[in-house]
């Protein structure tokens, strides 16, 4: 049961890593992101597709760029992660 949660958290971590890299190097393409993050291109492509579908990045002719939604996410990220940690900590106490 918890294996799926671990996989989801790992995937979310990669998506966050990708969006941070896009924000820091925009516009940026798949090959450059793959080299920068040392992640295979097919995984970068998947993360970009998910992030674009969720409205966090947009594609341009020069490469991926973050949207205002991504900038809002960055503002709340630490608080959101802290809340996840609190929930998981309560699970541990049960």
């Amino acid at each position: 049961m918890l294996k799926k949660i671990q996989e989801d958290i790992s995937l979310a971590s990669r998506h966050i890593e990708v969006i941070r890299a896009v924000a820091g190097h925009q516009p940026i393409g798949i090959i450059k992101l793959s080299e920068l993050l040392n992640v295979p291109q097919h995984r970068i492509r998947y993360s970009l597709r998910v992030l674009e579908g969720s409205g966090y990045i947009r594609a341009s002719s020069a490469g991926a760029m973050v949207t205002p939604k991504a900038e809002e996410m960055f503002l709340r990220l630490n608080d959101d992660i802290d809340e996840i940690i609190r929930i998981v900590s309560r699970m541990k106490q049960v």
Side-chain angles (χ1 to χ4, degrees):
M1 174 174 73
L2 296 180
K3 182 71 174 162
K4 174 71 171 122
I5 295 170
Q6 289 174 336
E7 292 169 359
D8 289 346
I9 290 171
S10 179
L11 184 57
S13 176
R14 186 178 81 221
H15 292 336
I16 290 168
E17 186 178 16
V18 168
I19 201 169
R20 281 183 174 146
V22 170
H25 299 88
Q26 63 185 335
I28 188 168
I30 293 169
I31 295 170
K32 184 73 172 177
L33 276 169
S34 176
E35 293 169 355
L36 183 68
L37 299 176
N38 197 30
V39 174
Q41 290 180 26
H42 70 279
R43 290 191 176 160
I44 295 294
R45 190 174 294 110
Y46 176 75
S47 289
L48 290 174
R49 187 171 41 241
V50 169
L51 293 168
E52 184 176 15
S54 298
Y56 292 108
I57 65 162
R58 66 176 180 82
S60 76
S61 59
M65 299 180 70
V66 296
T67 66
K69 185 175 180 179
E71 294 167 3
E72 292 172 19
M73 185 267 309
F74 287 134
L75 294 174
R76 295 187 322 268
L77 185 61
N78 286 341
D79 290 338
D80 290 346
I81 291 171
D82 287 342
E83 180 59 21
I84 292 167
I85 291 169
R86 280 191 287 278
I87 291 167
V88 172
S89 293
R90 284 194 303 265
M91 288 172 51
K92 200 172 176 184
Q93 294 172 1
V94 172

